[in-house]
Amino acid sequence: MHEIRFGQSPTAALGNWSSDEHLAICVPDHTRPMDVPLALHAVSQRLTHSPQVVVGLGLHRPMSATELKPIQQWNPIQHDPDDAIVVGWSGEIKGLVSRVVCEADSALILGLVELHQYAGLSSGYKGIVVGCGGRETINSLHSRTMVLSEGVCVGQLAGNPFRMHIDAIGAQSNAKWALLYVPALRLWGFGEPKALIEQIASRLQPWAWTRTSYARAVVRVPHCKKSSLYQASRAASYLALSPRPPLKLGAEIIIEAPLEEGLGTEVGFVNAMEGSSAPWSDLLTGPEPTGAGAQRAVVLALLAQRYKLVLRGCMDPDAFRRLGFDAADTPARIDSNTLIVNDIFEQIPQLETV
């Protein structure tokens, strides 16, 4: 395989790479703040044939026409998790990947590398195995047993079974390359997906150390994740379930977002939250919630065992109050014992022990 390269732009990272294959390009959906058109322009200039761009939705909702407009010139196809074929196995997990992607000569993954609750870091082979994966594969990877497994942790690659399965299945797919943007480094990287993610991980500093333990934290949510609780709650759980959060037991973790889509469109998450009562402990011990996004309800139940999730700036706080949340349409209150976290997907505060 070719070397791993980094650069200030996708063009610089690509170097002298080119391809005469019929290429599928897997791109992230609207929940990832990435300049996809910039990257597609850089890649397209090096191809003999027009690529097939596939939007990696995973089990998220399809993108709207407005959201697709910046990449419309590439005639993108939105991923269908029920139109996938088997590329291989990782243990008992069947690896299904988009039929459209598999029918190409090879695939290139465009992605954004940020901290991720389960995979340690987002993107790499995750862009094809989950983003363009089959429903059965995605559900298996996001089962309660898997997301609560030892080693599955934000910022952790080594010893992480979630990442191990993704990389094993990805290596059996036709994804040869990844072109990834790393906001924390302000760099683009290009190379074989697994090797590139490992190189990026070696350059990142995911933890910001502090010796103060706080009673309240306001975790800023990027614009692309403010529309639903399913997306916005990641900001809270990344802090709460990190190795050493600088929070006192019972601390408030506040996310301030309009949440105009309410819980979100992920049916499994919606059903789990509406079918349980705060602090949702039955989601951890009772029958396993299933369906798209159900794992996020499990994560919020785990968070609620130690901390209190608070919602501020909601457009419809009553809808969340009915589910047991402390919710209001007013801004978050900040005092001297409030931890402010601005870039939770790039770096997470951790308690430094003396």
Side-chain angles (χ1 to χ4, degrees):
M1 297 300 290
H2 53 75
E3 64 178 332
I4 302 298
R5 288 191 292 270
F6 291 93
Q8 299 291 326
S9 67
T11 298
L14 286 166
N16 60 2
W17 175 84
S18 64
S19 175
D20 60 3
E21 295 184 308
H22 290 274
L23 199 67
I25 304 180
C26 306
V27 305
D29 69 3
H30 63 289
T31 64
R32 300 293 189 265
M34 178 186 174
D35 193 340
V36 174
L38 179 69
L40 284 175
H41 277 295
V43 173
S44 298
Q45 291 174 358
R46 298 153 185 275
L47 302 178
T48 304
H49 307 283
S50 297
Q52 177 58 71
V53 173
V54 182
V55 179
L57 297 173
L59 299 182
H60 297 169
R61 68 163 173 82
M63 291 172 65
S64 67
T66 300
E67 290 165 341
L68 284 171
K69 188 174 181 179
I71 61 171
Q72 198 59 60
Q73 71 183 85
W74 287 278
N75 299 310
I77 293 174
Q78 303 210 58
H79 167 58
D80 178 356
D82 297 312
D83 184 16
I85 62 178
V86 179
V87 298
W89 291 77
S90 178
E92 297 181 352
I93 296 181
K94 184 192 296 186
L96 293 132
V97 169
S98 164
R99 177 186 55 80
V100 175
V101 173
C102 292
E103 289 177 348
D105 293 337
S106 60
L108 182 148
I109 301 162
L110 291 185
L112 178 86
V113 181
E114 57 187 9
L115 296 173
H116 190 271
Q117 187 94 64
Y118 316 127
L121 296 175
S122 63
S123 204
Y125 278 129
K126 183 176 178 292
I128 188 171
V129 176
V130 176
C132 292
R135 188 179 300 275
E136 181 180 346
T137 301
I138 298 171
N139 285 337
S140 295
L141 287 167
H142 292 82
S143 70
R144 182 170 67 188
T145 298
M146 176 61 69
V147 301
L148 298 183
S149 293
E150 182 178 356
V152 174
C153 182
V154 63
Q156 179 174 327
L157 297 185
N160 183 332
F162 190 101
R163 171 58 69 175
M164 177 195 73
H165 287 303
I166 282 176
D167 287 343
I169 295 170
Q172 297 171 77
S173 74
N174 63 342
K176 294 181 181 179
W177 308 283
L179 176 61
L180 309 178
Y181 181 61
V182 192
L185 301 177
R186 307 299 185 261
L187 285 176
W188 291 81
F190 179 71
E192 187 274 330
K194 182 174 184 291
L196 179 56
I197 280 288
E198 290 173 348
Q199 281 275 332
I200 291 169
S202 71
R203 296 179 175 218
L204 292 176
Q205 296 181 338
W207 315 125
W209 298 100
T210 177
R211 294 186 178 181
T212 303
S213 189
Y214 294 86
R216 182 180 298 103
V218 174
V219 188
R220 307 295 189 196
V221 182
H223 179 75
C224 64
K225 291 182 171 67
K226 285 186 173 183
S227 61
S228 73
L229 185 64
Y230 178 81
Q231 289 294 341
S233 64
R234 297 167 188 256
S237 63
Y238 280 32
L239 176 62
L241 303 182
S242 61
R244 285 190 255 175
L247 300 171
K248 296 176 182 178
L249 185 63
E252 293 183 348
I253 303 180
I254 305 166
I255 54 177
E256 192 173 271
L259 308 178
E260 67 271 18
E261 295 181 9
L263 290 173
T265 59
E266 291 75 11
V267 176
F269 176 67
V270 173
N271 290 342
M273 297 305 297
E274 291 182 343
S276 184
S277 300
W280 313 289
S281 302
D282 59 303
L283 298 178
L284 299 172
T285 58
E288 179 176 356
T290 59
Q295 82 287 343
R296 179 121 293 274
V298 171
V299 166
L300 292 189
L302 193 60
L303 179 156
Q305 308 311 299
R306 293 184 58 85
Y307 309 114
K308 180 180 180 181
L309 180 59
V310 175
L311 310 178
R312 292 291 181 263
C314 308
M315 291 181 64
D316 184 9
D318 287 341
F320 294 102
R321 290 181 190 137
R322 287 193 290 269
L323 297 173
F325 290 98
D326 178 346
D329 56 9
T330 53
R333 178 175 63 87
I334 297 174
D335 59 25
S336 59
N337 197 28
T338 301
L339 170 67
I340 307 296
V341 186
N342 290 311
D343 299 303
I344 192 72
F345 296 99
E346 295 184 18
Q347 195 170 60
I348 304 175
Q350 296 288 277
L351 184 63
E352 181 179 0
T353 54
V354 181

